[in-house]
Amino acid sequence: MPQQQNLFPEQAPDTSQEEIASTALQLTSQHGRLSPDQQRFNRLLKRIDNLKSQLAKIETLCDAHRPAYHLTLSPLQERHSNLIRELVLWLHARLQGKGLSAALKRDAKTILCHFSQTLAIEGDEEMRHLHDQYSTESLAQKQQNMCDDMRAMMEDMFDFSPSEDEPLDNIDDLLHASLKQLREADAAEEEQRQQKQRRRKKTSTQVKAEETQQEADSMLRKLFRQLASMLHPDRENNPEKRAHKTELMSEANKAYESRDLVTLLKIQLHMELTTQESIAQLAQEKIASLTVLLKQQIKALENQLHTRRQRALQEFDLMPYDPLTKTTLTRNLKQTEWSLQQAIREMELDLERIQDDQTLKTWLKEQKKLLAQSASTDFFDLFGMR
């Protein structure tokens, strides 16, 4: 076997400013075909590049769409909220006068509470005050009752039992506590599973897997320590080089924390602490350990991609399974804009209708029916989850 080149030399040349492409890490063969393990190594590198590219595209897409999204919808949302506020204040003033039957007054109070609640949840204290003035339950009481109901349901369905010193004052506390308990239960179950495995005699495959994992961890630490030694900013007097090393050190820290082997190797090449030939030789000799690290990195990137995608869908009010594309974002923005414009127009018409007592009575009856039909959405509205 040819002697392996030193991957961690004592001295390193000056920093190269050339950006390292991912293809620099790909294994090649001058004689014959690559082995199946080497081909798998290259496929894993390509998969990592693809996942990182998808993450970057999501960030670029969201950054490009966000200004138009807020510029288009914010004025409409503000106009709609102002109209709701105007309607609530008008109903409040009308309830101080005469001419409405007891039944119509009850309906007017119910509708006033419904509309004021929407704005109160968003932080409008005057609307909260008016809601509490006309409602049999304050908004805080409604939220607490809903929280208690959810807690009872979770205790019944999921054996939810938070500690007594854990705050459960609102729905966020409740969800946090339930998720914490689920994670603790999963961790306890995993610990029991591992204890059972430890009591069993390990197979040769398990022993080999553990050895490979330990070798992979050791290799990752060695890569990082070499970089940390060479990139320490205090060892550089040149301000420009110090700033560059500080940036690379920050990148190396993040890469090590996330077990990002590819980025660490790229920084090694960038700093000329190693060569493509050295990495290729290392990959041939330590292919199993490197493959373990690459597979773990792929799994982490897949989870990160899923989380980022869901966060983007939520930010722009898309459905959970909508494709995250420019076309989808643009179409949804237009639909949301149209819906808000329609809601504004309807609210303007409502404000016109309620000026006359005769049409006010008709409007109150219509609103009462609409509230009855939408009663199932009260939970989401109450906690601002729409």
Side-chain angles (χ1 to χ4, degrees):
M1 178 182 295
Q3 185 176 2
Q4 180 184 345
Q5 298 185 37
N6 185 9
L7 186 62
F8 310 101
E10 292 297 325
Q11 299 294 330
D14 292 337
T15 301
S16 169
Q17 298 299 321
E18 182 181 359
E19 185 177 354
I20 304 299
S22 297
T23 53
L25 303 179
Q26 293 275 337
L27 301 180
T28 58
S29 176
Q30 296 179 348
H31 307 288
R33 299 180 59 185
L34 293 173
S35 69
D37 286 342
Q38 292 171 328
Q39 292 177 31
R40 185 183 303 111
F41 179 85
N42 284 348
R43 286 197 301 271
L44 293 175
L45 283 176
K46 187 175 181 180
R47 174 63 176 159
I48 288 172
D49 268 357
N50 182 263
L51 289 169
K52 287 187 174 182
S53 175
Q54 290 182 58
L55 278 166
K57 285 179 180 178
I58 288 179
E59 292 297 338
T60 301
L61 185 65
C62 291
D63 289 345
H65 184 68
R66 191 173 292 111
Y69 182 84
H70 291 294
L71 186 64
T72 302
L73 299 186
S74 293
L76 296 174
Q77 290 166 340
E78 183 178 0
R79 172 61 178 158
H80 189 243
S81 294
N82 288 338
L83 289 170
I84 293 176
R85 202 171 195 281
E86 186 178 343
L87 185 144
V88 170
L89 293 173
W90 192 94
L91 287 174
H92 168 59
R94 184 63 187 83
L95 283 167
Q96 310 310 307
K98 299 179 180 180
L100 295 180
S101 67
L104 287 175
K105 283 187 175 181
R106 285 196 300 271
D107 292 343
K109 290 177 181 179
T110 300
I111 293 162
L112 182 152
C113 289
H114 169 74
F115 283 113
S116 61
Q117 176 177 288
T118 302
L119 299 181
I121 290 171
E122 295 174 357
D124 191 321
E125 288 303 318
E126 184 179 10
M127 292 295 103
R128 178 181 289 272
H129 174 74
L130 286 175
H131 172 279
D132 293 353
Q133 178 181 335
Y134 288 103
S135 176
T136 56
E137 285 184 316
S138 70
L139 189 60
Q141 289 172 330
K142 284 184 178 181
Q143 291 175 321
Q144 186 59 55
N145 290 340
M146 192 69 75
C147 187
D148 292 342
D149 290 342
M150 173 175 270
R151 175 174 178 172
M153 180 189 70
M154 295 176 70
E155 288 175 345
D156 182 52
M157 295 180 63
F158 305 111
D159 195 27
F160 177 60
S161 54
S163 60
E164 294 183 359
D165 59 345
E166 202 155 13
L168 296 175
D169 298 330
N170 54 55
I171 195 68
D172 288 336
D173 290 343
L174 182 63
L175 291 174
H176 177 77
S178 62
L179 288 173
K180 178 182 176 183
Q181 181 170 310
L182 287 173
R183 286 194 294 267
E184 289 174 350
D186 289 342
E189 185 177 339
E190 176 64 18
E191 178 61 26
Q192 289 180 354
R193 187 185 67 80
Q194 291 182 1
Q195 286 180 358
K196 289 180 180 179
Q197 287 185 342
R198 286 194 289 267
R199 287 194 292 267
R200 297 173 186 161
K201 185 178 180 180
K202 295 178 182 178
T203 65
S204 58
T205 302
Q206 290 173 325
V207 171
K208 179 63 176 176
E210 288 184 1
E211 291 175 350
T212 302
Q213 183 64 64
Q214 291 172 0
E215 185 177 57
D217 294 341
S218 176
M219 188 186 311
L220 203 65
R221 283 194 300 272
K222 198 171 183 181
L223 277 169
F224 176 71
R225 286 172 181 171
Q226 174 67 14
L227 286 172
S229 175
M230 298 304 301
L231 293 173
H232 200 292
D234 292 345
R235 299 183 180 180
E236 182 59 65
N237 294 325
N238 184 292
E240 291 185 3
K241 289 185 177 181
R242 186 187 306 118
H244 182 58
K245 284 188 174 183
T246 299
E247 183 180 350
L248 286 176
M249 190 67 239
S250 176
E251 187 178 352
N253 278 324
K254 292 178 182 177
Y256 182 63
E257 289 175 3
S258 60
R259 300 178 63 81
D260 184 347
L261 171 68
V262 173
T263 296
L264 289 177
L265 288 175
K266 283 184 180 182
I267 298 175
Q268 282 271 346
L269 285 173
H270 182 79
M271 294 296 297
E272 298 183 12
L273 299 179
T274 189
T275 64
Q276 293 175 253
E277 291 77 14
S278 295
I279 293 176
Q281 184 68 32
L282 177 70
Q284 291 175 15
E285 297 178 0
K286 306 292 185 182
I287 192 74
S289 299
L290 291 175
T291 298
V292 165
L293 290 172
L294 293 181
K295 286 181 177 179
Q296 291 170 349
Q297 187 175 346
I298 286 173
K299 184 176 181 180
L301 284 170
E302 287 173 340
N303 291 336
Q304 186 180 350
L305 182 62
H306 174 76
T307 300
R308 184 64 189 90
R309 182 181 181 278
Q310 294 304 311
R311 195 164 69 243
L313 292 175
Q314 184 177 15
E315 178 183 359
F316 299 117
D317 200 24
L318 294 168
M319 298 300 290
Y321 299 104
D322 279 341
L324 192 60
T325 64
K326 182 178 179 181
T327 300
T328 304
L329 289 169
T330 302
R331 182 176 63 246
N332 182 71
L333 176 56
K334 290 180 178 178
Q335 290 173 345
T336 306
E337 180 184 16
W338 181 86
S339 296
L340 274 170
Q341 289 170 340
Q342 288 295 106
I344 288 170
R345 181 55 185 156
E346 290 173 5
M347 189 63 66
E348 289 171 341
L349 291 173
D350 286 343
L351 282 166
E352 291 177 10
R353 293 178 64 192
I354 62 177
Q355 302 303 316
D356 178 79
D357 270 5
Q358 188 58 43
T359 52
L360 171 61
K361 294 175 183 179
T362 304
W363 181 82
L364 288 173
K365 292 177 182 178
E366 291 173 354
Q367 292 298 312
K368 185 179 179 181
K369 289 182 180 178
L370 289 174
L371 286 181
Q373 293 171 0
S374 63
S376 60
T377 66
D378 283 351
F379 171 83
F380 299 99
D381 292 336
L382 190 58
F383 290 103
M385 296 172 67
R386 285 191 180 276

